[in-house]
């Protein structure tokens, strides 16, 4: 049987929580709405857009902004300042790496689909292999004799501490992954990859009997093989898979936002057999993909046309505020 449970499962939120989530000030004034918790990132994005205006207008050197954001974040943490300030600044350092790439690196037409798929496979296990082990925090403890780990978190404050000092270990990998997807020319790229991949390999060899999951290890090993292979059938198969990812990529932002609300909505329906459970999953996937398509491909162009700047003068005014490289 299927039992509809919507009426007895709805969470109730205060007016402040609803307003802060609608105005992108969640994390500051309230927690995100649980059923749509992916919108926690909207608050971070708005903060970064606001900071980006003076950075672009005054053409701040992105290297200085990058180093400054990390140093101020560490100093704020060291002085027991608001943890969310450090979280904002650690995250902003990633944006500055993107700006550095836009300003200082040129595009290359060549791209390898197998290397792009390898990057997808790297992303997941690296979190278990590197980030969760707190290497940067351990280093800072040795240098500054103070832990930079955030206090114990729950849903109410978890997103205030979302980006930690240990996430900075992603920077090298993110730099190369984005460089691959953007086809940027980087000298000795494969050599740099070899260096970055060495640390996880050492950890694997030292922790063969650790809590690392076999699926994650398999993803990592397959990713390494894919990255360095030049076997033509692998290249062709990877190109076909990338085409599928391109389609999903066009829906990705809507998928990111709506997948969880629909998950809770479908969870209100109980099923009693494996067959019905599979059917529910298929209907869920179809619904999420369909709604994402409508939002991204139908509604978004309408809204864009409403706010589109038609005059050339307005466009030139915008370019004086924002970097041409960023807009491009």
């Amino acid at each position: 049987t299927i039992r509809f449970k919507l009426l007895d499962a709805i969470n109730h939120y205060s007016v402040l929580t609803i307003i802060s989530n609608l105005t992108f000030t969640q994390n500051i004034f309230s927690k995100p709405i649980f059923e749509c918790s992916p919108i926690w990132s909207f608050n971070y994005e708005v903060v970064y857009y606001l900071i980006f205006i003076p950075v672009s207008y005054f053409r701040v050197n992105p290297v200085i902004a990058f180093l400054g954001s990390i140093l101020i974040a560490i100093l704020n943490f060291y002085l027991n300042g608001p943890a969310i300030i450090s979280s904002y600044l650690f995250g902003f350092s990633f944006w500055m790496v993107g700006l550095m790439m836009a300003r200082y690196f040129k595009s290359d037409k060549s791209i390898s689909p197998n290397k792009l798929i390898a990057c997808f496979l790297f992303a997941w296990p690296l979190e278990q292999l590197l980030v969760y082990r707190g290497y940067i925090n351990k280093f800072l403890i040795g240098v500054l004799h103070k832990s930079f780990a955030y206090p114990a978190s729950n849903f109410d404050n978890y997103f205030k501490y979302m980006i930690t000092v240990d996430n900075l270990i992603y920077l090298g990998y993110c730099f190369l992954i984005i460089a691959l997807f953007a086809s940027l020319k980087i000298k000795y790229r494969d050599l740099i990859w070899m260096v970055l991949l060495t640390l996880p390999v050492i950890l694997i060899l030292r922790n063969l009997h650790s809590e690392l999951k076999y699926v994650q290890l398999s993803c990592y090993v397959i990713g390494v093989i894919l990255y360095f292979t030049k076997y033509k059938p692998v290249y062709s198969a990877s190109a076909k898979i990338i085409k599928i990812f391109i389609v999903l990529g066009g829906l990705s932002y809507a998928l990111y936002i709506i997948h969880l609300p629909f998950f809770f909505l479908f969870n209100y329906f109980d099923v009693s057999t494996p067959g019905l459970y599979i059917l529910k999953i298929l209907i869920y996937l179809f619904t999420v993909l369909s709604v994402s398509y409508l939002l991204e491909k139908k509604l978004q162009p309408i809204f864009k046309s409403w706010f589109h700047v038609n005059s050339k003068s307005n466009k030139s005014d915008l370019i004086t505020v924002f970097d041409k490289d960023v807009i491009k």
Side-chain angles (χ1 to χ4, degrees):
T1 61
I2 300 178
R3 184 165 64 88
F4 185 68
K5 304 192 301 183
L6 180 60
L7 294 179
D8 63 355
I10 293 179
N11 286 321
H12 297 280
Y13 296 98
S14 67
V15 174
L16 175 62
T17 299
I18 294 171
I19 292 175
S20 63
N21 277 264
L22 288 174
T23 56
F24 310 130
T25 55
Q26 67 273 43
N27 306 328
I28 299 175
F29 298 116
S30 74
K31 61 186 177 183
I33 293 175
F34 179 73
E35 290 82 358
C36 197
S37 53
I39 64 174
W40 71 269
S41 64
F42 282 11
N43 171 242
Y44 281 75
E45 290 175 40
V46 168
V47 169
Y48 297 152
Y49 286 133
L50 291 175
I51 300 176
F52 215 81
I53 292 173
V55 168
S56 296
Y57 185 81
F58 295 107
R59 298 193 65 82
V60 176
N61 186 315
V63 177
I64 294 176
F66 165 75
L67 295 174
S69 62
I70 294 176
L71 290 175
I72 295 172
I74 293 175
L75 180 63
N76 173 74
F77 209 117
Y78 188 81
L79 298 176
N80 298 315
I84 193 170
I85 300 297
S86 293
S87 189
Y88 282 145
L89 291 173
F90 286 139
F92 189 66
S93 66
F94 285 81
W95 280 51
M96 289 299 94
V97 170
L99 182 56
M100 282 188 271
M101 296 172 73
R103 283 193 181 175
Y104 303 132
F105 293 90
K106 295 182 179 180
S107 180
D108 185 4
K109 293 182 180 179
S110 64
I111 190 169
S112 301
N114 53 302
K115 292 185 176 182
L116 299 184
I117 294 179
C119 291
F120 281 108
L121 295 173
F122 289 148
W124 182 25
L126 283 175
E127 189 168 34
Q128 288 286 341
L129 289 166
L130 297 175
V131 179
Y132 286 162
R133 298 178 180 274
Y135 291 109
I136 297 181
N137 186 31
K138 292 175 182 177
F139 171 78
L140 290 174
I141 291 174
V143 174
L144 301 175
H145 308 291
K146 178 180 174 67
S147 174
F148 285 76
Y150 291 135
S153 62
N154 50 47
F155 186 78
D156 290 347
N157 63 15
Y158 175 72
F159 300 104
K160 292 183 178 182
Y161 312 147
M162 195 66 183
I163 308 174
T164 71
V165 68
D166 286 308
N167 288 124
L168 296 179
I169 207 165
Y170 274 136
L171 278 169
Y173 299 95
C174 289
F175 174 81
L176 286 176
I177 288 173
I178 299 300
L180 278 173
F181 275 80
S183 300
L184 300 181
K185 292 180 179 179
I186 298 179
K187 269 190 173 183
Y188 312 115
R189 187 172 62 189
D190 288 344
L191 178 61
I192 297 172
W193 261 122
M194 288 291 292
V195 174
L196 289 176
L197 294 176
T198 299
L199 178 57
V201 169
I202 292 173
L203 293 174
I204 291 173
L205 295 176
R206 290 176 56 185
N207 299 277
L208 290 177
H209 303 290
S210 70
E211 72 281 1
L212 294 176
K213 298 179 180 179
Y214 292 112
V215 174
Q216 292 172 319
L217 288 177
S218 299
C219 285
Y220 182 81
V221 173
I222 294 171
V224 172
I225 295 172
L226 272 178
Y227 187 89
F228 293 103
T229 188
K230 295 183 179 180
Y231 190 46
K232 286 186 177 180
V234 173
Y235 184 96
S236 300
S238 299
K240 294 178 181 178
I241 295 173
I242 287 296
K243 289 181 179 179
I244 297 174
F245 278 110
I246 290 173
V247 175
L248 292 176
L251 310 177
S252 59
Y253 203 79
L255 284 170
Y256 168 69
I257 298 301
I258 70 168
H259 77 278
L260 195 57
F262 274 101
F263 172 82
F264 283 108
L265 178 62
F266 275 77
N267 196 45
Y268 294 146
F269 296 89
D270 284 338
V271 292
S272 57
T273 65
L276 287 175
Y277 185 76
I278 293 173
L279 179 62
K280 186 172 81 167
I281 292 176
L282 293 175
I283 295 174
Y284 165 76
L285 293 174
F286 176 79
T287 303
V288 170
L289 289 171
S290 299
V291 174
S292 298
Y293 175 81
L294 290 174
L295 291 174
E296 291 282 2
K297 302 301 182 182
K298 300 299 180 181
L299 288 180
Q300 188 177 138
I302 294 174
F303 282 102
K304 280 184 176 180
S305 66
W306 288 351
F307 296 101
H308 181 65
V309 181
N310 291 310
S311 67
K312 293 183 179 179
S313 60
N314 286 342
K315 286 183 180 179
S316 62
D317 289 341
L318 284 173
I319 292 176
T320 61
V321 177
F322 297 103
D323 285 323
K324 293 181 181 180
D325 290 336
V326 176
I327 294 175
K328 187 177 180 181

